[in-house]
Amino acid sequence: MTTAAPHDVPHTVQAGTPDLAARFPGLVAPDERSGYSGWIVTADHLVQVATALRDEFGYDLLSSVTGVDYLPEGKMEVVYHAFKTTGGPGICFKVQTGRDDPQVPSLVSVYPGAELQEREAWDLLGIKFTGHPDLRRILMWEGFNGHPLRKDWQEPYYEDEAKPFKSRSPEGHVYRFEDRNPFGDNVRYPEDFDPEKWTPENPEDLLYKSLKTYQAESPDGIETDHIVVNMGPQHPSTHGVFRFVVALDGEKIVNLKPVMGYLHRNHEKIGERNTYLMNMPYTDRLDYLSPMSNNFAYALTVEKLMGITPPERAEYIRVIMAELTRIANHCMCIGSLLNDLGAFFTPMIYLLEERDLILDVFEATAGSRMMVNYFRFGGVARDIPEDALEKIKGLAFERLPRILDEMDRLMSENEILRARGIGQGVLTAEDAIRYSATGPLLRGSGVPYDIRRADPYSIYDRFEFDIPVGKNGDIYDRYIIRLEEMRQSVRIIQQALKQMPEGPVMVGKPQYQFRPPVGESYGRVEGPKGELGFYIVSNGKPTPWRYHVRAPSFINLTAFGPMCVGQKVADTVAILGSIDIVLGEVDR
């Protein structure tokens, strides 16, 4: 496997992006660190620069916000990636702050889609976003001590900073590390804190306060109280351990706050302890209904960092697997949505049969139906077996076109789907962009933004396909979008099968450990649920210094509350189902 050597080059403005240093002299400077790109903005002028990027330069979609702890340098950095919904390359801008008391202005007033992402950076890294409307923990619980993604934070039974741990490799002597850990259980309490004498405050107070429960006056002049109701986390309609809290005026929703973190296992902290290749099977566990897409995004990001390109055949295999994944995901989404709406299990069972046939292909090729671990840096783990290739051809040219037409005929005029979907959970095009929505949620609102077309990756620029868009931005439009996307995926697979050349599926020899050059990389794909991105910082060692997942399920929930305001309680279930979330990706 060949890798690009790190080298110092002068900063050049990326083609098609503005020269911010010329527009904001003295306020913005190019990031001239070796292997880095983008712009460094002074904290005091961050809101001004972000506003100009949105209003003057057209970067209306703030896709990713994440923090990086540069412990040796005593600083924190917040990294932003913004894009144009009209297409083209994105722009990266950053702000740096001291590590002891990191404070950065919030961009929620400019890009409301930053809300949950800024809360995540505060929660896990301790970066305070001044002016944020509701800065609370989001994945950890209120009262948690410390910020676990900081480089000097150590978990209970901490063993070492990076894998492989010496207790397991290379010596391989297996024992219970807890019995020999020189740190003990490594449980650290705040100064002057005695757990035996602690009287807990209600951790929900901040949450309920953020709902702004207050008395309201009804049209007949009678003052009424707003009632706060919890739904989840153990609820059959929340698609996992997800909770949302609603403030009600009678049956009408006046405010809603999502509450997540019940499944959080600090995926990113684990990712910064693993070697690069160790992380590949961990990506399967994010959106576990779309593992091939997760592999794809992570592989692209590391390949971009290393400067390698997969062989032609591997590129076609990747596209075929990604589009089969999109079909399998949408089958699950539509089936569960119909179930949520009251059609019960008939549509779900029909659609699960098609998904099962696709999983048969994954099993024959990758060796597993869901946790595929199939992509590698520079290609894929193995070629598609001949019998699996024949199954794909049968699905793409015969079965799936017929089944999709049948699904359309049986479901699209279903009176339950139409009654509970049309005009419900409306998200306008403007709001979808403001809240950083991507995928079918954005396109259902009428915005024809698809990364495969807007900023093509891999070999997607070789295929002809349409971008389905909705008109009303409601639940029904989002259903129709997914149905049409499956047809377009079949169309892409058919072209890929006809064009796919013979040849190797991997560049060079497989490597189990390598050291990418120092630098940063952001890679993204158009996953079934929206933009799935990875931001990686390498310090030249076998493990990433920073490993961040831009999870579409998590960010799309930013729009959930606004979509529900004015709706009834029962509508929240349908709206949530139309967003299509997976809690493995929300909580990570």
Side-chain angles (χ1 to χ4, degrees):
M1 181 185 295
T2 57
T3 63
H7 54 282
D8 294 307
V9 294
H11 185 280
T12 57
V13 179
Q14 183 180 353
T17 62
D19 186 346
L20 295 185
R23 172 63 179 82
F24 298 100
L27 308 181
V28 181
D31 189 343
E32 295 181 334
R33 294 171 290 182
S34 177
Y36 287 73
S37 61
W39 305 92
I40 297 178
V41 183
T42 57
D44 292 343
H45 298 89
L46 176 63
V47 174
Q48 177 189 353
V49 173
T51 303
L53 282 171
R54 183 195 65 187
D55 297 342
E56 293 181 29
F57 299 109
Y59 291 93
D60 51 352
L61 181 68
L62 181 65
S63 174
S64 175
V65 181
T66 188
V68 185
D69 180 8
Y70 288 102
L71 175 63
E73 302 168 38
K75 70 181 180 184
M76 291 278 189
E77 184 173 271
V78 182
V79 183
Y80 305 86
H81 290 91
F83 297 88
K84 299 178 181 179
T85 52
T86 54
I91 193 166
C92 175
F93 58 103
K94 307 159 187 176
V95 62
Q96 297 178 345
T97 180
R99 195 173 181 278
D100 293 336
D101 183 24
Q103 295 193 29
V104 173
S106 172
L107 288 188
V108 171
S109 61
V110 183
Y111 294 108
E115 181 189 354
L116 300 187
Q117 299 184 74
E118 288 183 353
R119 282 179 60 190
E120 181 185 10
W122 154 248
D123 188 4
L124 301 184
L125 285 158
I127 302 171
K128 185 176 182 180
F129 292 87
T130 56
H132 190 286
D134 188 21
L135 194 63
R136 297 178 289 113
R137 288 191 180 271
I138 189 167
L139 296 176
M140 312 308 294
W141 57 95
E142 294 294 341
F144 181 86
N145 181 34
H147 303 280
L149 274 184
R150 286 193 167 215
K151 288 298 183 178
D152 53 359
W153 186 90
Q154 297 172 350
E155 71 278 10
Y157 298 108
Y158 165 81
E159 182 170 353
D160 202 351
E161 276 302 318
K163 294 179 182 179
F165 296 146
K166 293 181 177 60
S167 63
R168 305 169 202 176
S169 174
E171 293 86 357
H173 301 297
V174 179
Y175 57 86
R176 285 180 57 83
F177 182 77
E178 293 88 340
D179 299 335
R180 303 190 189 182
N181 185 0
F183 297 96
D185 60 11
N186 198 43
V187 176
R188 294 176 295 173
Y189 297 115
E191 189 176 353
D192 301 324
F193 178 83
D194 184 351
E196 299 298 327
K197 299 177 181 178
W198 178 52
T199 302
E201 299 177 359
N202 184 359
E204 307 289 75
D205 283 346
L206 287 174
L207 167 63
Y208 295 143
K209 185 178 179 181
S210 71
L211 286 167
K212 299 178 181 176
T213 55
Y214 55 90
Q215 284 197 327
E217 189 171 307
S218 64
D220 56 11
I222 301 174
E223 289 188 349
T224 61
D225 287 330
H226 284 177
I227 301 172
V228 175
V229 176
N230 282 278
M231 293 186 67
Q234 279 84 18
H235 193 286
S237 296
T238 57
H239 294 247
V241 281
F242 177 68
R243 168 188 172 203
F244 51 93
V245 186
V246 293
L248 299 175
D249 182 7
E251 183 74 5
K252 186 175 72 173
I253 295 169
V254 295
N255 203 350
L256 181 148
K257 289 285 183 179
V259 185
M260 58 276 284
Y262 294 94
L263 196 64
H264 179 63
R265 66 267 196 206
N266 222 335
H267 175 100
E268 295 180 11
K269 187 77 170 182
I270 296 170
E272 292 170 11
R273 297 271 174 81
N274 287 341
T275 63
Y276 285 87
L277 190 57
M278 281 181 182
N279 279 334
M280 187 62 77
Y282 279 79
T283 67
D284 292 331
R285 275 84 178 164
L286 290 166
D287 177 1
Y288 41 78
L289 299 178
S290 308
M292 291 286 189
S293 288
N294 306 342
N295 285 187
F296 203 169
Y298 178 57
L300 283 177
T301 308
V302 177
E303 287 165 356
K304 186 177 178 182
L305 190 65
M306 298 172 63
I308 59 177
T309 303
E312 284 282 293
R313 185 173 178 84
E315 293 277 30
Y316 280 94
I317 292 174
R318 287 179 168 192
V319 167
I320 290 169
M321 292 301 175
E323 296 309 315
L324 285 173
T325 297
R326 196 179 316 277
I327 297 168
N329 177 91
H330 288 353
C331 282
M332 196 72 171
C333 173
I334 292 173
S336 58
L337 174 63
L338 268 292
N339 186 47
D340 290 341
L341 294 179
F344 297 107
F345 286 106
T346 302
M348 172 70 89
I349 296 299
Y350 272 99
L351 288 162
L352 280 178
E353 182 178 1
E354 307 314 311
R355 176 176 177 267
D356 227 40
L357 293 172
I358 292 173
L359 297 192
D360 287 344
V361 172
F362 291 170
E363 184 177 20
T365 304
S368 178
R369 301 178 74 78
M370 290 181 69
M371 307 295 105
V372 293
N373 186 24
Y374 180 55
F375 284 49
R376 293 292 182 270
F377 311 131
V380 293
R382 60 192 67 83
D383 207 340
I384 303 177
E386 191 59 39
D387 57 340
L389 194 59
E390 291 303 314
K391 286 184 179 180
I392 296 172
K393 291 177 180 177
L395 287 171
F397 289 102
E398 297 174 18
R399 185 179 177 98
L400 286 176
R402 173 173 51 82
I403 292 296
L404 291 173
D405 288 343
E406 188 176 289
M407 286 167 50
D408 192 359
R409 187 171 65 254
L410 293 175
M411 293 191 297
S412 297
E413 298 301 319
N414 180 281
E415 59 183 299
I416 298 175
L417 176 59
R418 295 181 66 86
R420 296 200 60 191
I422 296 176
Q424 305 299 311
V426 173
L427 183 66
T428 65
E430 294 76 17
D431 282 346
I433 296 169
R434 289 175 64 243
Y435 291 119
S436 298
T438 54
L441 184 60
L442 177 63
R443 292 188 288 276
S445 296
V447 182
Y449 182 78
D450 186 310
I451 301 170
R452 296 172 296 174
R453 184 63 57 76
D455 188 16
Y457 55 93
S458 186
I459 54 171
Y460 274 105
D461 55 354
R462 303 181 187 180
F463 303 115
E464 294 182 3
F465 60 99
D466 299 322
I467 308 298
V469 291
K471 297 178 181 178
N472 305 312
D474 55 20
I475 293 171
Y476 188 78
D477 273 359
R478 292 190 277 277
Y479 153 76
I480 290 292
I481 291 299
R482 291 185 174 97
L483 182 62
E484 291 302 317
E485 282 190 1
M486 287 193 279
R487 287 192 170 107
Q488 297 304 317
S489 290
V490 169
R491 189 177 168 192
I492 292 171
I493 294 168
Q494 289 174 347
Q495 294 173 70
L497 288 169
K498 292 176 181 177
Q499 297 175 18
M500 185 166 61
E502 297 294 330
V505 296
M506 186 75 184
V507 171
K509 295 180 180 179
Q511 295 185 8
Y512 296 99
Q513 188 180 103
F514 47 87
R515 298 171 184 263
V518 173
E520 65 176 355
S521 176
Y522 182 69
R524 61 189 190 136
V525 300
E526 184 63 50
K529 293 172 172 62
E531 178 180 332
L532 174 63
F534 286 82
Y535 177 72
I536 292 175
V537 175
S538 168
N539 60 354
K541 295 184 177 180
T543 58
W545 178 259
R546 182 71 175 101
Y547 167 87
H548 171 69
V549 183
R550 190 268 183 215
S553 292
F554 174 71
I555 296 171
N556 283 349
L557 283 171
T558 312
F560 181 40
M563 289 162 65
C564 290
V565 171
Q567 303 284 135
K568 301 296 177 61
V569 172
D571 296 325
T572 61
V573 173
I575 294 169
L576 181 65
S578 75
I579 296 175
D580 185 20
I581 65 169
V582 158
L583 267 296
E585 189 175 76
V586 172
D587 286 359
R588 283 153 288 140

